[in-house]
């Protein structure tokens, strides 16, 4: 790494951000007794400076910039990408931890329930559960019918209380005369209205 | 006029209108085929159980779905252009009528031989004789001889109107200060209704057009009668 700072125990600092450099410098410059510093240095070497930088710097931003939620690895259930970025269960209970240890051995030794438990650690839904759907459509259709019915009520009210009478040309006798006149005038005689009337027998064609 | 619940075109009384009917059937069939295909593809995409949906590159299908629409468009364009030029053919009209739009009535002038002119107002609903069509009847009809080419010169006296008779396949805007020519041949006798087709004020819906096609002798009788009355 270019420009990496070298601290006294010979290890390079993993991260050069001012935050991490400051921590390490403060640590090294602290005026505690020599023996404490030696102990601390050994512990530091054991744990590794990567742990220090990892806890602050894993998520980018180097502890300075804000890291957005959506840029972090997330879990998802999607049929076309079957392997999500991270496991579903991140903090394992002691039972689950021992199960994970057992997984390192032969898988034939695992019982069916244990295999299912391991699956549920890694994944939230099985494929069958993913495909099942939610039944939300029933609520949507019910809402549609409700509003159509409500609109029907509004229209009925309008018809009774807002609109006036229709013209007299809508009376059945008038309509009868209109139809007779249309037939007499041979309206649409080729394929339409008058084409369906049998003029010889004075009836509609069968 | 249209019969109740009619959805399609009225029967044609003009040869070009017949052509337009057939072309409309042809184009609508193509449109329905394409729409059905697209609807089917959408349902198939949405309800598939397959998981690999991301195709990145394919030359063959891209060639197909470029060439095929071009072919379909040519199949639509050729009949369309044919009818377009058919409508513009030179015809030798036997009669010229001037249709002038006013607010809110039409006036017709037959000035080839004598000076015949009259106004055509809509018959109000309360004055209809039993069986007459509401909002479509007029007091004077434009009578033309059947099976004769007729030229109509459409214009307006005040605002924009539009002289339209669907059975005859005519729709021509009436522009003040401009003469627009439309031509038709009534292939069968009958009464053909139309309505003003350009918004022209309060009574735009109430200035209909009625064309009556009759044999030549009847037309001559009618014009003599009208000249006497004038």
């Amino acid at each position: 790494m270019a420009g990496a700072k070298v601290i006294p125990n010979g290890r390079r600092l993993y991260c050069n951000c001012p935050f991490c450099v400051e921590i390490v410098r403060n640590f090294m410059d602290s005026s505690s007794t020599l023996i404490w510093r030696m102990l601390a240095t050994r512990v530091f070497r054991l744990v590794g400076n990567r742990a220090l930088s990892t806890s602050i710097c894993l998520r980018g931003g180097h502890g300075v910039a804000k890291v957005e939620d959506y840029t972090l690895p997330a879990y998802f259930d999607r049929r076309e990408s079957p392997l999500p970025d991270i496991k579903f269960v991140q903090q394992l209970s002691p039972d689950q931890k021992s199960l994970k240890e057992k997984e390192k051995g032969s898988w034939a030794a695992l019982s069916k329930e244990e295999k299912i438990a391991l699956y549920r650690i890694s994944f939230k839904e099985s494929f069958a559960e993913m495909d099942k759907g939610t039944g939300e459509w029933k609520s949507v259709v019910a809402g549609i019918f409700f509003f159509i019915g409500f609109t029907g009520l509004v229209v009925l009210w309008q018809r009774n209380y807002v609109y006036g009478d229709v013209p007299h040309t809508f009376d059945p006798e008038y309509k009868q005369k209109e139809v007779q006149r249309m037939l007499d005038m041979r309206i649409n005689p080729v394929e339409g209205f008058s084409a369906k009337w049998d003029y010889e027998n004075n009836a509609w064609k069968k | 006029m249209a019969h109740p619940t009619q959805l399609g075109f009225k029967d044609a009384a003009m040869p070009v209108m017949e052509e337009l009917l057939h072309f409309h059937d042809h184009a609508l069939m193509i449109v329905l085929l394409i729409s059905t295909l697209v609807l089917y593809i959408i349902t198939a995409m949405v309800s598939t159980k397959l998981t690999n949906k991301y195709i990145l590159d394919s030359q063959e299908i891209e060639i197909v779905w470029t060439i095929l629409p071009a072919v379909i468009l040519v199949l639509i364009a050729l009949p369309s252009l044919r009818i377009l030029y058919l409508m513009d053919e030179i015809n030798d009209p036997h009669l010229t009528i001037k249709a002038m739009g006013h607010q809110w009535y039409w006036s017709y002038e037959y000035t080839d031989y004598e000076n015949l002119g009259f106004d055509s107002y809509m018959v109000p609903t309360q004055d209809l004789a039993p069986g007459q069509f509401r909002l479509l009847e007029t007091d004077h009809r434009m009578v033309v001889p059947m099976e004769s080419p007729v030229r109509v010169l459409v214009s307006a006296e005040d605002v924009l109107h539009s002289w339209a008779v669907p059975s005859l396949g005519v729709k021509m805007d009436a522009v003040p200060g401009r003469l627009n020519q439309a031509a038709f041949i009534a292939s069968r006798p009958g009464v053909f209704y139309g309505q003003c087709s350009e918004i022209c004020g309060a009574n735009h819906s109430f200035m209909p057009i009625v064309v009556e096609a009759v044999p030549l002798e009847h037309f001559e009788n009618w014009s003599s009668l009208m000249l006497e009355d004038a």
Side-chain angles (χ1 to χ4, degrees):
Chain A
M1 263 183 285
K5 297 227 167 24
V6 178
I7 53 179
N9 65 0
R11 293 235 174 165
R12 277 212 206 94
L13 195 57
Y14 177 62
C15 171
N16 281 338
C17 77
F19 199 91
C20 299
V21 167
E22 194 60 33
I23 286 179
V24 176
R25 190 186 311 121
N26 280 342
F27 175 69
M28 288 298 152
D29 288 350
S30 65
S31 49
S32 31
T33 59
L34 181 62
I35 210 161
W36 280 117
R37 281 201 25 211
M38 286 168 63
L39 190 58
T41 308
R42 279 180 182 82
V43 167
F44 190 67
R45 200 189 295 176
L46 269 173
V47 173
N49 55 10
R50 190 171 261 255
L52 167 69
S53 43
T54 300
S55 57
I56 295 165
C57 302
L58 167 67
R59 311 214 265 140
H62 296 270
V64 178
K66 181 168 181 294
V67 177
E68 296 290 347
D69 246 340
Y70 52 77
T71 60
L72 300 172
Y75 178 81
F76 52 82
D77 279 315
R78 223 175 280 152
R79 286 181 63 231
E80 55 266 10
S81 309
L83 300 175
D85 297 335
I86 54 174
K87 291 197 192 351
F88 179 52
V89 179
Q90 295 286 297
Q91 276 82 33
L92 298 173
S93 69
D95 282 339
Q96 288 171 324
K97 282 199 183 116
S98 59
L99 195 54
K100 276 292 186 188
E101 287 300 319
K102 193 172 173 198
E103 194 191 13
K104 292 179 183 166
S106 164
W107 287 345
L110 293 169
S111 72
K112 184 164 170 251
E113 290 77 23
E114 285 172 333
K115 287 180 193 166
I116 292 178
L118 280 168
Y119 182 88
R120 290 292 174 185
I121 289 175
S122 298
F123 302 105
K124 179 165 171 263
E125 279 181 331
S126 69
F127 270 89
E129 285 163 4
M130 250 193 272
D131 288 345
K132 207 165 37 129
T134 53
E136 186 192 3
W137 66 273
K138 293 179 205 163
S139 331
V140 172
V141 169
I144 290 174
F145 283 148
F146 172 76
F147 277 109
I148 289 178
F150 179 70
T151 307
L153 284 176
V154 168
V155 168
L156 270 178
W157 176 87
Q158 259 182 294
R159 182 71 191 82
N160 279 331
Y161 289 98
V162 175
Y163 293 134
D165 287 327
V166 287
H168 69 98
T169 56
F170 281 80
D171 298 337
E173 313 84 43
Y174 198 94
K175 281 280 164 224
Q176 187 86 342
K177 294 206 175 87
E178 260 187 17
V179 167
Q180 184 58 53
R181 185 151 177 269
M182 282 163 76
L183 290 171
D184 292 339
M185 289 164 76
R186 305 290 196 273
I187 299 281
N188 287 343
V190 181
E191 286 179 328
F193 195 67
S194 308
K196 301 201 175 80
W197 178 260
D198 191 353
Y199 282 94
E200 270 95 60
N201 300 333
N202 256 356
W204 290 111
K205 284 187 187 159
K206 301 289 179 288
Chain B
M1 62 166 276
H3 59 258
T5 70
Q6 174 172 349
L7 287 176
F9 288 117
K10 302 173 190 171
D11 283 345
M14 232 271 272
V16 172
M17 188 61 203
E18 273 182 61
E19 300 284 340
L20 281 170
L21 287 180
H22 297 315
F23 173 66
H24 175 263
D25 288 343
H26 167 76
L28 196 63
M29 179 55 65
I30 293 179
V31 162
L32 281 175
L33 283 174
I34 295 175
S35 306
T36 318
L37 176 68
V38 169
L39 204 59
Y40 168 73
I41 291 177
I42 289 176
T43 3
M45 286 286 117
V46 161
S47 60
T48 182
K49 292 272 179 265
L50 304 171
T51 52
N52 183 7
K53 300 185 202 174
Y54 307 117
I55 302 173
L56 290 177
D57 191 23
S58 172
Q59 300 293 354
E60 297 82 9
I61 196 176
E62 299 224 351
I63 291 176
V64 165
W65 72 33
T66 306
I67 302 283
L68 206 54
V71 166
I72 291 176
L73 284 174
V74 166
L75 283 179
I76 298 178
L78 289 180
S80 172
L81 286 172
R82 177 178 149 264
I83 296 180
L84 191 65
Y85 282 92
L86 208 61
M87 292 198 305
D88 280 344
E89 271 188 356
I90 311 287
N91 58 346
D92 201 7
H94 294 173
L95 187 61
T96 299
I97 305 173
K98 286 187 263 305
M100 308 292 292
H102 310 252
Q103 278 179 318
W104 288 278
Y105 60 96
W106 292 94
S107 65
Y108 301 107
E109 295 163 29
Y110 296 65
T111 47
D112 284 329
Y113 304 105
E114 308 276 345
N115 251 347
L116 169 60
F118 54 91
D119 297 335
S120 171
Y121 281 84
M122 180 185 90
V123 176
T125 307
Q126 58 264 31
D127 295 343
L128 285 172
Q132 279 190 313
F133 309 123
R134 187 176 73 98
L135 305 186
L136 278 179
E137 302 282 359
T138 56
D139 50 4
H140 296 117
R141 295 174 175 170
M142 180 176 120
V143 180
V144 293
M146 59 180 256
E147 289 174 352
S148 307
V150 173
R151 170 200 283 138
V152 181
L153 295 172
V154 183
S155 185
E157 298 279 1
D158 35 39
V159 297
L160 290 179
H161 301 271
S162 184
W163 197 81
V165 184
S167 302
L168 298 171
V170 178
K171 186 179 296 211
M172 190 53 73
D173 275 0
V175 181
R178 183 186 168 89
L179 276 180
N180 280 330
Q181 173 182 297
F184 63 85
I185 301 179
S187 345
R188 56 180 165 92
V191 183
F192 310 112
Y193 293 92
Q195 288 174 295
C196 175
S197 300
E198 183 70 40
I199 185 86
C200 50
N203 285 350
H204 157 68
S205 327
F206 308 116
M207 45 185 290
I209 298 142
V210 187
V211 175
E212 193 177 335
V214 292
L216 189 56
E217 313 84 53
H218 295 263
F219 171 72
E220 288 166 350
N221 293 342
W222 170 83
S223 48
S224 317
L225 272 168
M226 291 294 286
L227 278 165
E228 280 168 21
D229 286 342

